[in-house]
């Protein structure tokens, strides 16, 4: 059960991962029993109300408004909810949906894209315009009601869904938003897979590709998809591109060709910019050595999935990794001497 104190306690521990330096998280650690008890009563008595959102703009990879809620009680409650709901919803989603799911992700989506690039002649690539801000609250809540029959759970979902106000918007930044977004576009997946009987389909959040050997078929399909999105989900497309796969399919941070994969230029540019800032961030204490190593490992992971031999030499990731390891060893020796 969502309101079970054991579930809430686990939610506290999951929500605090990577946030141990925040004062509110440290307070929750010291007062975990109090936090669990308070949240249990909020949910049991239905007195929980979403806190006021704080907003900020980020500009990479594109400009987006991020919504932030307090760690306590909101983020903990979101984790408590999805700890129970996530396994249920995950079983409802199609295999072709790759965003924010265990065992899926960017690289799984890239591998599937590469499989289709090698198999088919044409690609239909589409992108939904301003997806999260365009999600209709009434439509979303109606979808949730079809999947969940528990009145208490529906009360909590309603509180979260309508918390942003304005009739539309699933706030980017909420832990629940990625799952609600997936649920919303599961309607699109159902239309494409079951109504249109499409075989070669890959979706990651609001970006998706369809592959086929018949260019006219894909052109007709594009019109049907645009019509469905408008009529059923009240959404429009920002991109609709139909082209031969020999041109390269730019998707999920990579450019997929029939015989090789390249890193997207904008992704490489962001990596170079990030690497220039990392040493200063480490020396100033803005990040820890562990965070520094984690960033380098993440970049290495990105590069490993593409033909990036010369880029890796240019970025000198191996040298940077060895340098931070050596720095850590020197610190350990200094502490031992003291």
């Amino acid at each position: 059960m969502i309101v079970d104190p054991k579930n809430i306690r686990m939610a506290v521990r999951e929500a605090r991962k990577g946030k141990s330096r925040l004062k509110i998280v440290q307070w929750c650690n010291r007062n975990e029993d109090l936090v669990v008890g308070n949240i249990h009563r909020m949910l049991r008595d239905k007195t929980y109300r979403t806190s006021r959102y704080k907003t900020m703009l980020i500009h990479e990879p594109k400009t987006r408004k991020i919504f932030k809620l307090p760690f306590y009680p909101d983020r903990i409650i979101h984790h408590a909810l999805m700890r129970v709901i996530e396994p249920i919803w995950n079983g409802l989603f199609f295999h072709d949906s790759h965003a924010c799911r265990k065992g899926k992700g960017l690289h799984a989506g890239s591998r599937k894209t590469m499989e289709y690039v090698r198999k088919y002649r044409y690609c239909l690539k589409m992108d939904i315009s301003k997806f999260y801000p365009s999600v209709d609250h009434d439509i979303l809540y109606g979808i949730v009601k079809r999947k969940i029959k528990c009145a208490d759970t529906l009360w909590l979902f309603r509180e979260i869904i309508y918390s942003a106000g304005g009739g539309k918007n699933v706030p980017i930044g909420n832990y629940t938003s990625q799952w609600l977004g997936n649920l919303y576009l599961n309607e699109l997946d159902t239309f494409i897979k079951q109504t249109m009987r499409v075989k070669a389909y890959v979706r990651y959040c609001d970006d998706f590709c369809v592959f086929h050997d018949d260019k006219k078929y894909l052109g007709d399909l594009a019109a049907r998809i645009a019509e469905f999105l408008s009529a059923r989900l009240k959404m429009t497309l920002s991109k609709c591109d139909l082209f031969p796969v020999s041109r390269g399919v730019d998707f999920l941070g990579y450019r997929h060709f029939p015989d090789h994969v390249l890193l997207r230029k904008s992704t490489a540019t962001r990596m170079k910019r990030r690497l220039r800032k990392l040493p200063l961030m480490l020396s100033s204490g803005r990040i820890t050595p562990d965070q520094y190593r984690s960033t380098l490992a993440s970049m290495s992971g990105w590069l490993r999935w593409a033909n990036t031999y010369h880029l890796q030499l240019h970025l000198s990731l191996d040298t940077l990794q060895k340098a931070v390891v050596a720095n850590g060893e020197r610190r350990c020796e200094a502490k031992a001497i003291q």
Side-chain angles (χ1 to χ4, degrees):
M1 291 179 60
I2 295 167
V3 300
D4 189 326
K6 291 182 180 179
N7 180 56
I8 297 171
R9 193 175 299 276
M10 290 303 300
V12 173
R13 294 172 184 179
E14 288 182 2
R16 72 189 181 194
K17 289 178 181 178
K19 302 177 178 67
S20 59
R21 300 173 72 179
L22 298 179
K23 290 183 179 179
I24 183 59
V25 175
Q26 294 172 2
W27 181 86
C28 288
N29 289 342
R30 294 192 301 269
N31 300 276
E32 190 172 289
D33 290 340
L34 175 64
V35 168
V36 171
N38 287 346
I39 291 177
H40 171 71
R41 285 187 291 273
M42 288 180 194
L43 297 179
R44 182 195 63 193
D45 301 336
K46 296 186 176 62
T47 58
Y48 166 68
R49 296 294 180 270
T50 302
S51 303
R52 183 184 296 274
Y53 284 100
K54 293 182 179 179
T55 62
M56 60 179 289
L57 287 178
I58 63 170
H59 302 283
E60 289 189 8
K62 58 184 178 182
T63 300
R64 293 181 296 173
K65 181 183 284 189
I66 304 298
F67 293 75
K68 296 180 66 176
L69 285 173
F71 176 80
Y72 167 76
D74 302 87
R75 298 185 69 85
I76 297 173
I77 288 176
H78 289 191
H79 275 266
L81 172 62
M82 295 316 301
R83 274 181 53 79
V84 176
I85 298 300
E86 177 181 331
I88 300 171
W89 282 4
N90 195 49
L92 299 175
F93 297 152
F94 287 85
H95 181 76
D96 314 83
S97 170
H98 289 269
C100 311
R101 299 175 63 191
K102 292 178 181 177
K104 298 289 186 177
L106 286 166
H107 299 309
S110 177
R111 290 196 300 273
K112 182 58 68 173
T113 300
M114 198 62 188
E115 176 185 325
Y116 292 147
V117 165
R118 287 171 172 158
K119 187 175 181 180
Y120 296 97
R121 293 176 60 197
Y122 296 100
C123 173
L124 171 64
K125 185 173 182 292
M126 310 180 89
D127 183 359
I128 297 173
S129 177
K130 299 179 180 178
F131 170 62
Y132 282 105
S134 300
V135 172
D136 184 280
H137 293 164
D138 291 338
I139 294 175
L140 176 58
Y141 185 63
I143 295 170
V144 172
K145 284 176 67 176
R146 296 206 313 268
K147 308 298 183 185
I148 294 173
K149 302 305 177 185
C150 172
D152 293 337
T153 305
L154 285 174
W155 161 79
L156 183 53
F157 266 116
R158 184 177 182 85
E159 171 61 34
I160 293 171
I161 289 171
Y162 288 92
S163 64
K168 290 189 175 184
N169 192 19
V170 171
I172 300 173
N174 279 359
Y175 180 65
T176 53
S177 291
Q178 56 193 9
W179 286 98
L180 290 171
N182 256 344
L183 185 70
Y184 203 77
L185 287 186
N186 189 59
E187 302 292 298
L188 172 65
D189 298 342
T190 302
F191 173 74
I192 290 176
K193 296 295 293 182
Q194 294 187 352
T195 303
M196 303 306 298
R197 302 290 183 181
V198 170
K199 293 181 180 179
Y201 170 61
V202 185
R203 181 175 67 80
Y204 191 93
C205 194
D206 57 335
D207 294 341
F208 54 99
C209 294
V210 181
F211 298 85
H212 204 275
D213 286 329
D214 188 336
K215 188 175 183 179
K216 183 179 184 305
Y217 167 82
L218 289 177
D220 294 340
L221 180 64
R224 293 289 302 275
I225 290 173
E227 180 183 357
F228 174 85
L229 285 170
S230 177
R232 176 69 183 92
L233 300 179
K234 295 185 180 179
M235 293 195 156
T236 58
L237 292 168
S238 61
K239 294 178 184 177
C240 181
D241 196 6
L242 175 54
F243 55 93
V245 297
S246 58
R247 193 183 86 184
V249 179
D250 191 340
F251 190 48
L252 303 177
Y254 299 98
R255 292 188 66 198
H256 304 80
F257 295 88
D259 58 351
H260 66 284
V261 182
L262 297 178
L263 198 67
R264 182 186 290 164
K265 288 184 179 179
S266 59
T267 304
T269 300
R270 285 198 301 273
M271 281 189 179
K272 293 175 184 177
R273 191 180 301 130
R274 177 73 169 162
L275 281 174
R276 285 198 296 268
K277 294 179 181 178
L278 273 179
L280 178 60
M281 294 174 70
L282 178 63
S283 61
S284 64
R286 291 168 59 192
I287 60 172
T288 65
D290 284 343
Q291 290 172 321
Y292 185 98
R293 282 189 289 269
S294 177
T295 300
L296 294 179
S298 175
M299 290 184 181
S300 296
W302 268 93
L303 295 169
R304 189 172 64 247
W305 292 94
N307 302 84
T308 57
Y309 175 76
H310 293 289
L311 178 60
Q312 291 186 55
L313 291 178
H314 176 73
L315 295 177
S316 303
L317 285 181
D318 288 343
T319 302
L320 291 170
Q321 288 171 331
K322 290 176 182 177
V324 76
V325 169
N327 184 53
E329 291 174 349
R330 287 195 295 270
R331 288 187 178 185
C332 289
E333 291 174 358
K335 288 183 180 180
I337 294 173
Q338 291 174 357

